Amino acid sequence: MAFVMMRRDKKDEEDGGNPFKNIEKATVVQEARTFNDQHINTRKCCMILTKLLYLINQGEILATVEATETFFAMTKLFQSKDVTLRRMVYLTIKEMSKLAEDVIIVTSSLTKDMNSKEDLFRASAVRALCMITDGSMLQGIERYLKQAIVDRDRSVASAALVSSLHLSRENFEIVKRWVNEVQQATSSDDHMVQYHALGLLYQIKKNDKLAITKLVSKQARHSLRSPFAHCLMIRIASKIIEDDEDSKGSSLYDYLESCLRHKSEMVVYEAARAIVNLKSVQSKDLSPAVSGIVIEQVAITHPLSVTTCNLDLENLVTDSNRNIATLAITTLLKTGSEASIERLMKQITSFMSEISDEFKTVVVDAIKALCLKFPRKHLTMMNFLSAMLRDEGGYQYKKAIVNTIISIIEENKDAAESGLGHLCEFIEDCEHTSIAVRVLHLLGKEGPKTLSPSKYIRYIYNRVILENSPVRAASICALAKLGAQVPSLKESIVTLLSRCMTDSDDEVRDRATFCVKILQENSLNVSVFGLERALMHYVKTDMVEPFNLKSVPVANTRTESKADVPNVTTIQKSATATASKQDLLAEQLARIPQFASLGPLFKSSDKPIEVTESETEYVVRCVKHIFQKHIVFQFDCTNTLEDQLLENAYVEIEPSDEFEVESTVPVATLAFNVPGTTYTCVSVPEDMDLMTGSFVNTLKFVVKDCDVNTGEADEEGYEDEYVLEDVEVYPADYMQRVLKSNFAASWEELDSEHQSEETYVLSSISTIEDAVKEVTDLLGMQPCERSDKVARDKNSHTLLLAGVYVSGDDVLARARFAMAQGQITMLLTARSQNETPLALVHKAVG
Amino acid sequence: MDSIVLDVTLYAVKAILILDNDGERIIAKYYDNTFTHLKEQKQFEKKLYDKTPRSSADIIMLDSMTAVFRSNVDLNFYVIGSSNENEVMLNCVLNGFYDAISTMLRKNVEKKYLMDNLDGVFLALDEVVDGGIILETDSTNIISKVAIKSNPLIQNDDLPLSEQTVVQVLQSAKDQLKRSLLN
């Protein structure tokens, strides 16, 4: 023995402790030929078989030919009487039964063995035999198997039962015939035999509910010996209880409950689990079930009933297995009351450093849930989280913490100040770029809303100095956001950003330049999506001309009026709402192939125009989409008649003068109360004078009567039409509002360009205020420098208007109002790069 | 993990693994079709090994499976079942297998000795679980089924007696029994 060990030791040093490491399949297959030798060397053959098993185990694939050859050689080994070798042979037969062909040739040898006197052979022989046998062979050995099931030797009986269970998957009908033997085996004295017999018996009878119920109640009354059998019975019982509610569940339930007092832990656990998993379970039943074993699952499904066991759980918190302790704590956190939180937090802190990151993440998640549940406790939580942030930990863990803090900040405004403070400290020393970027973004977003946004500048600017380029870029954006939203800080931030304009990284430099420019001019009031679309469109052209920013739809100017700090949030919300609405429309349009060639959308009318009375059969609203040379009318139709289904509905437009209808996009069906949209596209004439006018619209469709209840429509329909109100196209429709922060400068810029001037008498308007409003609406331009606010008791006023014409030209207008003898006179001066818009301006007023 | 009625089945064990200190497979026996290909198996083993904490015994949840494990020196023993499986039951299997191996290697549960007695380990494994069904969890029974190498009735000269005699086995089994009774 010692000698062998020593020999191995020497060998180990050469091949790294694994004598099987370097064996090769081909060699082993070659070696297997020694099985054919006259004198069988037991030790050597044993070794070869072990090698073979090891190879198969390592996932080496033996080809069928190789396997079959080896298998046949192996059959020779039945001549040896050595027990170990024989058992290795059985094992190898089992392993190779799926690899080699004609494995049934060993059937007779195995059958002989299973009936031999040597008990040690018999069990293994039964198992090997059942592995290689198939349906047709099975009948031949059926007699032996039935005997084996009731064999007095426990291992033989077990082997037979387990093998039968395997066989029953494919040969259920045959195995079913052995039910009497199996029944007899259930009363065996041996634990495992009993377990296997019950398992097989259940398998045989599982479709017979009554028999199974009987089986369980019988076995439940007899005290089973095997804990495994108990577990099996528990599962069967809980399945029966689950399957039919009105069953004699109570007696079965009593059985489950009695199992809770079983001396084997395994049974107690199984029973506890079965009970908490029962859907119909009452909370009073649960209390005994959970005492002792923690299942987090329980907390999720039955939070209330677990509460009663919180005391037990608290004991587990101090368990030496930190995983269990963590589960206990998180369970407690999930169920705990507000008062107990602080105490628990202390406890967690005590062992936080000892558990793995994954469990820490679990704890963090639990805290997050807790914070949302008890907002008042945020201070405790926040301190705890920040302490965790300072500790060692991997990326996932830190990310979880930061996410938690962020969601707390978002949910709970009170927590924002302290939360941001903690995060600021965290990014001072944060090795994870993506987390730092995330935090910086948050600072940019939330910082301006706090009481003293200025204190965040230092933290952010530190990042600019110390970090890698993505973080620097994010910092710059965050700074710019602060600058844009907090006017008092703007100047200093511009200074800081100017320093970054020499950064070594392209992205950082670009962003800095961009932000400085934006902050200084305070104007890039285009809608982001509009810009994106326009740029996409631009890229598709040959890009000879420089990109014209003016062709981009202008975002609602209210976005810029962030100066009113108290209302920032509401203003932003409404701004984003309108912007996204317009973008949504444009998005819809862009998807319609007919309109793809029209170029970028210039403007859509703000509010839909009602072209029907609101209480009529069909409600139609119209939105005008202005393109360079086209107008697309979008009609949103709603059918308010329950008994009608409209098909192929479209609006026929009779245009005035030079307009031409180019295409219509009908809506296929209009069911009751389901809005549908149809489009009509008209081309705009070149001549300025003819660009405006009114359109007579008729909604045309095919009506089909339909059943009110089923919604099914008749097959036949008839054509019908419905006259809509006229839609007007005004000069203002071709004008986009633009805010010029420095009107005078822009005005001077256009000095050399076209100018027109005319005087009007506004006879129908009585006050200057009304006049200003009227003219602004008519022109569709943006009042600048607050010139739309008229001072009281003044007889004169100057209105400054700015806009972009559909062609992309800037249009500026200065209207001087004077009040004399109750009549208002207006001197309107307009400047632009082009003639056409000027004419339009005057046409609009005139 | 909603409330689930557990399947009534004897097929409790999905796999039994012995991995070495580098996470390499020494023995791997998969009993169902969760991982059919070698690649999937190896991936799973790697994941499992990476998740294995450096403690002597514990439980791991991985990919809706439960693995109980015990490790010693440079070996990690795992028994894997579905996540709905009774963990205590799996642990029982693990302990039975581990104790049997431990007895067989005379408490030297180390890779070197394990490799030297690989045939015995294969046989023991075969006796613990059959095709996913728990066959035997009592280490004494397992040993008595396996460690019968030097059957005195069969004389074989070149058998190098690398194993204990029946008497030895019985003795050690008795010792173990005593210990478990005393505890």
Side-chain angles (χ1 to χ4, degrees):
Chain A
M1 169 79 214
F3 167 66
V4 177
M5 286 288 185
M6 234 168 60
R7 203 181 58 193
R8 280 288 161 66
D9 282 352
K10 218 182 215 170
K11 209 171 147 201
D12 289 345
E13 282 157 29
E14 290 154 26
D15 59 15
N18 185 350
F20 295 92
K21 198 172 188 175
N22 297 318
I23 53 175
E24 279 174 27
K25 187 174 70 174
T27 333
V28 176
V29 173
Q30 192 73 31
E31 281 176 353
R33 295 197 178 145
T34 56
F35 296 161
N36 292 321
D37 290 353
Q38 276 289 306
H39 175 73
I40 293 167
N41 180 336
T42 323
R43 177 73 205 165
K44 196 172 162 195
C45 292
C46 228
M47 193 67 204
I48 296 168
L49 287 179
T50 311
K51 283 182 188 171
L52 201 59
L53 286 176
Y54 181 77
L55 278 181
I56 297 172
N57 206 283
Q58 289 295 315
E60 196 82 49
I61 294 156
L62 288 174
T64 314
V65 183
E66 287 172 327
T68 312
E69 198 180 308
T70 317
F71 191 83
F72 273 72
M74 202 168 63
T75 56
K76 298 281 193 301
L77 297 179
F78 274 102
Q79 289 167 2
S80 166
K81 286 274 180 286
D82 182 78
V83 182
T84 310
L85 180 59
R86 182 68 63 88
R87 293 173 56 99
M88 286 305 281
V89 170
Y90 295 144
L91 196 54
T92 320
I93 289 174
K94 282 201 283 183
E95 287 293 332
M96 292 181 73
S97 64
K98 295 285 173 288
L99 300 170
E101 285 173 338
D102 301 326
V103 290
I104 48 171
I105 59 152
V106 291
T107 307
S108 63
S109 306
L110 289 173
T111 319
K112 205 176 113 218
D113 277 354
M114 82 181 253
N115 295 312
S116 76
K117 296 225 159 45
E118 183 65 79
D119 277 348
L120 289 162
F121 286 170
R122 291 169 59 209
S124 303
V126 168
R127 286 163 61 198
L129 183 60
C130 291
M131 196 80 180
I132 58 161
T133 197
D134 60 17
S136 56
M137 300 286 301
L138 189 55
Q139 305 204 346
I141 55 168
E142 190 180 350
R143 188 166 54 93
Y144 303 120
L145 278 174
K146 275 159 94 171
Q147 274 171 21
I149 287 173
V150 289
D151 196 282
R152 63 182 165 78
D153 185 82
R154 40 189 294 281
S155 55
V156 175
S158 265
L161 285 164
V162 170
S163 301
S164 308
L165 196 53
H166 291 313
L167 288 169
S168 70
R169 281 198 273 201
E170 277 167 17
N171 302 294
F172 186 68
E173 290 307 314
I174 299 176
V175 177
K176 224 165 105 176
R177 299 202 291 254
W178 309 341
V179 63
N180 286 331
E181 282 78 10
V182 179
Q183 189 86 51
Q184 198 182 331
T186 55
S187 44
S188 161
D189 286 344
D190 184 73
H191 290 192
M192 294 318 279
V193 175
Q194 196 176 37
Y195 170 57
H196 295 139
L198 281 172
L200 184 56
L201 196 59
Y202 173 77
Q203 191 67 25
I204 293 173
K205 292 191 171 176
K206 70 176 170 192
N207 294 323
D208 182 356
K209 266 205 186 123
L210 198 66
I212 293 294
T213 316
K214 260 193 208 157
L215 173 73
V216 178
S217 29
K218 184 182 155 212
Q219 294 298 341
R221 259 183 287 117
H222 292 269
S223 58
L224 290 169
R225 283 157 188 271
S226 157
F228 289 103
H230 262 299
C231 290
L232 188 71
M233 282 301 126
I234 290 167
R235 288 196 191 180
I236 299 174
S238 63
K239 194 171 166 67
I240 297 171
I241 297 177
E242 198 71 16
D243 281 351
D244 49 349
E245 269 86 49
D246 58 313
S247 73
K248 319 94 218 162
S250 63
S251 72
L252 289 175
Y253 184 79
D254 289 343
Y255 166 65
L256 290 185
E257 225 239 354
S258 72
C259 285
L260 289 175
R261 293 184 293 275
H262 195 272
K263 60 182 185 303
S264 163
E265 215 174 58
M266 190 194 301
V267 177
V268 176
Y269 178 56
E270 186 71 41
R273 256 185 8 161
I275 291 174
V276 297
N277 275 337
L278 290 176
K279 284 186 205 124
S280 52
V281 75
Q282 305 287 312
S283 68
K284 73 173 167 58
D285 304 330
L286 265 181
S287 328
V290 198
S291 62
I293 302 149
V294 195
I295 324 169
E296 210 192 357
Q297 188 186 352
V298 179
I300 303 160
T301 44
H302 302 283
L304 279 177
S305 31
V306 179
T307 319
T308 53
C309 346
N310 273 1
L311 268 177
D312 285 325
L313 290 181
E314 296 212 9
N315 292 332
L316 279 172
V317 168
T318 48
D319 192 288
S320 61
N321 184 331
R322 288 306 174 199
N323 293 356
I324 293 181
T326 314
L327 283 181
I329 286 233
T330 45
T331 313
L332 281 175
L333 287 178
K334 273 177 197 146
T335 57
S337 62
E338 196 159 352
S340 64
I341 286 172
E342 288 192 35
R343 196 161 41 86
L344 283 173
M345 287 303 212
K346 267 193 200 125
Q347 265 174 313
I348 303 180
T349 326
S350 65
F351 69 79
M352 211 51 193
S353 55
E354 294 169 42
I355 56 177
S356 67
D357 270 12
E358 271 166 68
F359 273 102
K360 285 184 191 168
T361 316
V362 171
V363 174
V364 172
D365 285 344
I367 293 175
K368 182 171 168 182
L370 209 56
C371 279
L372 303 181
K373 208 160 124 199
F374 304 117
R376 276 187 294 157
K377 286 285 168 193
H378 70 82
L379 208 66
T380 325
M381 309 286 175
M382 207 53 109
N383 285 331
F384 179 68
L385 287 172
S386 73
M388 284 161 83
L389 264 182
R390 281 194 291 273
D391 287 343
E392 290 291 302
Y395 169 67
Q396 290 297 338
Y397 170 51
K398 297 277 167 157
K399 195 170 117 188
I401 300 178
V402 171
N403 281 347
T404 305
I405 296 186
I406 289 176
S407 61
I408 293 173
I409 291 174
E410 276 163 2
E411 291 292 321
N412 189 340
K413 290 296 159 215
D414 299 336
E417 286 274 343
S418 62
L420 285 179
H422 289 310
L423 288 176
C424 282
E425 272 167 38
F426 171 60
I427 55 168
E428 288 282 292
D429 182 23
C430 171
E431 65 217 85
H432 308 293
T433 303
S434 61
I435 296 182
V437 169
R438 179 116 200 249
V439 172
L440 284 167
H441 175 77
L442 184 80
L443 283 178
K445 204 171 88 192
E446 301 285 336
K449 295 180 205 164
T450 56
L451 291 176
S452 53
S454 60
K455 72 177 174 197
Y456 300 112
I457 293 182
R458 181 173 63 86
Y459 290 109
I460 303 176
Y461 192 66
N462 277 347
R463 297 305 96 213
V464 177
I465 304 169
L466 298 168
E467 289 281 355
N468 55 11
S469 53
V471 178
R472 289 204 300 273
S475 313
I476 284 175
C477 285
L479 277 179
K481 273 185 210 142
L482 279 177
Q485 297 188 28
V486 186
S488 58
L489 297 176
K490 190 169 137 185
E491 209 169 307
S492 41
I493 284 178
V494 169
T495 322
L496 287 177
L497 288 179
S498 319
R499 285 187 212 157
C500 305
M501 285 160 75
T502 52
D503 194 280
S504 60
D505 185 80
D506 285 352
E507 174 72 22
V508 179
R509 211 163 46 232
D510 286 354
R511 282 198 194 190
T513 317
F514 174 76
C515 291
V516 168
K517 183 109 172 137
I518 294 294
L519 282 178
Q520 280 169 341
E521 296 190 354
N522 206 9
S523 64
L524 182 71
N525 47 348
V526 294
S527 91
V528 180
F529 294 99
L531 180 62
E532 185 187 336
R533 256 198 320 281
L535 284 172
M536 289 281 275
H537 192 259
Y538 177 68
V539 172
K540 278 182 204 147
T541 64
D542 46 11
M543 293 192 273
V544 181
E545 292 172 29
F547 179 71
N548 187 359
L549 196 58
K550 283 165 194 155
S551 68
V552 176
V554 176
N556 198 302
T557 44
R558 271 178 296 175
T559 327
E560 287 297 311
S561 53
K562 280 173 191 157
D564 311 315
V565 178
N567 295 331
V568 166
T569 2
T570 50
I571 288 173
Q572 274 180 333
K573 269 185 197 149
S574 63
T576 40
T578 46
S580 56
K581 194 177 143 205
Q582 179 164 356
D583 289 322
L584 207 71
L585 289 173
E587 208 49 53
Q588 279 176 3
L589 274 180
R591 257 184 258 133
I592 298 165
Q594 281 99 317
F595 305 144
S597 57
L598 301 184
L601 174 68
F602 176 70
K603 182 187 175 184
S604 298
S605 53
D606 289 346
K607 283 180 198 146
I609 309 155
E610 303 272 352
V611 284
T612 54
E613 305 282 327
S614 55
E615 297 294 318
T616 48
E617 299 98 300
Y618 316 111
V619 178
V620 182
R621 292 185 176 137
C622 175
V623 180
K624 293 174 278 187
H625 301 288
I626 316 294
F627 289 86
Q628 283 282 336
K629 294 198 172 79
H630 299 83
I631 300 176
V632 172
F633 296 93
Q634 172 190 337
F635 295 96
D636 297 324
C637 316
T638 311
N639 175 11
T640 61
L641 294 179
E642 238 176 295
D643 54 352
Q644 279 191 2
L645 179 74
L646 307 189
E647 287 191 349
N648 200 21
Y650 65 97
V651 175
E652 190 178 80
I653 295 186
E654 288 168 37
S656 55
D657 309 322
E658 298 293 307
F659 284 95
E660 266 178 46
V661 177
E662 290 213 335
S663 58
T664 55
V665 178
V667 51
T669 52
L670 273 179
F672 167 64
N673 235 352
V674 182
T677 302
T678 158
Y679 300 92
T680 306
C681 173
V682 298
S683 63
V684 179
E686 295 278 318
D687 190 344
M688 217 284 309
D689 286 337
L690 303 170
M691 276 169 72
T692 54
S694 66
F695 295 81
V696 181
N697 309 309
T698 318
L699 180 64
K700 297 205 166 183
F701 45 84
V702 175
V703 184
K704 286 184 177 174
D705 292 327
C706 68
D707 194 304
V708 179
N709 297 320
T710 61
E712 269 174 49
D714 292 350
E715 300 229 339
E716 290 294 309
Y718 52 91
E719 286 190 18
D720 201 355
E721 57 180 52
Y722 188 82
V723 179
L724 304 174
E725 286 169 28
D726 294 358
V727 175
E728 295 276 344
V729 173
Y730 304 103
D733 285 331
Y734 298 99
M735 197 70 80
Q736 179 78 277
R737 289 162 176 249
V738 158
L739 186 80
K740 296 280 179 200
S741 46
N742 189 343
F743 186 83
S746 312
W747 184 257
E748 289 308 315
E749 248 176 65
L750 290 176
D751 197 17
S752 54
E753 308 282 345
H754 300 272
Q755 177 173 338
S756 67
E757 197 169 71
E758 233 164 294
T759 314
Y760 302 88
V761 177
L762 310 174
S763 51
S764 58
I765 302 168
S766 53
T767 67
I768 292 184
E769 249 173 349
D770 288 348
V772 165
K773 201 168 170 297
E774 188 77 1
V775 170
T776 313
D777 285 349
L778 280 175
L779 291 176
M781 292 159 79
Q782 176 70 31
C784 298
E785 299 185 352
R786 293 173 177 263
S787 59
D788 52 338
K789 301 274 187 292
V790 182
R792 290 191 177 205
D793 308 327
K794 282 238 175 151
N795 284 335
S796 63
H797 179 75
T798 307
L799 173 67
L800 305 171
L801 294 169
V804 175
Y805 180 62
V806 69
S807 61
D809 297 319
D810 273 328
V811 183
L812 298 177
R814 190 180 63 198
R816 288 196 167 123
F817 299 92
M819 182 101 162
Q821 293 128 32
Q823 211 172 37
I824 298 172
T825 340
M826 176 177 75
L827 176 68
L828 181 66
T829 319
R831 285 179 176 179
S832 173
Q833 290 106 327
N834 241 313
E835 253 338 310
T836 337
L838 296 181
L840 192 82
V841 165
H842 291 292
K843 187 177 158 124
V845 181
Chain B
M1 296 264 283
D2 295 325
S3 83
I4 329 135
V5 174
L6 300 165
D7 277 344
V8 180
T9 173
L10 291 188
Y11 294 89
V13 181
K14 278 174 175 289
I16 294 187
L17 307 174
I18 304 180
L19 303 180
D20 71 8
N21 233 6
D22 303 316
E24 286 299 320
R25 166 196 293 194
I26 296 175
I27 284 187
K29 195 95 182 83
Y30 290 83
Y31 297 108
D32 69 353
N33 298 327
T34 316
F35 305 101
T36 42
H37 295 292
L38 180 66
K39 212 176 146 194
E40 291 169 352
Q41 295 180 356
K42 294 266 179 179
Q43 258 171 8
F44 172 73
E45 284 160 32
K46 189 175 181 320
K47 237 161 120 187
L48 186 67
Y49 182 75
D50 289 344
K51 271 197 90 171
T52 308
R54 302 285 161 256
S55 54
S56 62
D58 221 319
I59 178 165
I60 306 171
M61 322 272 212
L62 182 68
D63 297 343
S64 74
M65 277 179 273
T66 300
V68 290
F69 85 94
R70 272 180 85 166
S71 53
N72 196 5
V73 191
D74 52 2
L75 290 173
N76 298 292
F77 292 73
Y78 300 86
V79 173
I80 292 142
S82 93
S83 58
N84 303 323
E85 199 44 71
N86 186 331
E87 289 88 343
V88 186
M89 199 189 268
L90 293 177
N91 208 36
C92 191
V93 176
L94 176 69
N95 289 338
F97 182 48
Y98 183 90
D99 292 343
I101 301 279
S102 173
T103 316
M104 194 157 56
L105 304 180
R106 273 176 271 170
K107 307 262 175 300
N108 296 317
V109 185
E110 284 172 50
K111 187 178 174 186
K112 196 173 72 181
Y113 299 106
L114 186 89
M115 284 325 244
D116 285 337
N117 293 284
L118 202 60
D119 45 356
V121 176
F122 274 124
L123 289 175
L125 179 61
D126 186 52
E127 293 298 339
V128 172
V129 173
D130 183 278
I133 300 178
I134 301 169
L135 206 54
E136 184 59 78
T137 58
D138 185 284
S139 65
T140 331
N141 286 343
I142 297 170
I143 286 293
S144 71
K145 284 187 190 175
V146 176
I148 30 109
K149 291 207 145 182
S150 47
N151 191 328
L153 295 175
I154 298 164
Q155 297 297 326
N156 198 326
D157 300 327
D158 71 355
L159 190 72
L161 288 173
S162 71
E163 298 305 325
Q164 314 161 51
T165 63
V166 168
V167 184
Q168 279 175 309
V169 170
L170 288 179
Q171 187 56 45
S172 83
K174 267 183 204 158
D175 287 348
Q176 214 175 10
L177 196 69
K178 263 186 218 153
R179 250 182 289 123
S180 65
L181 284 176
L182 284 174
N183 285 338

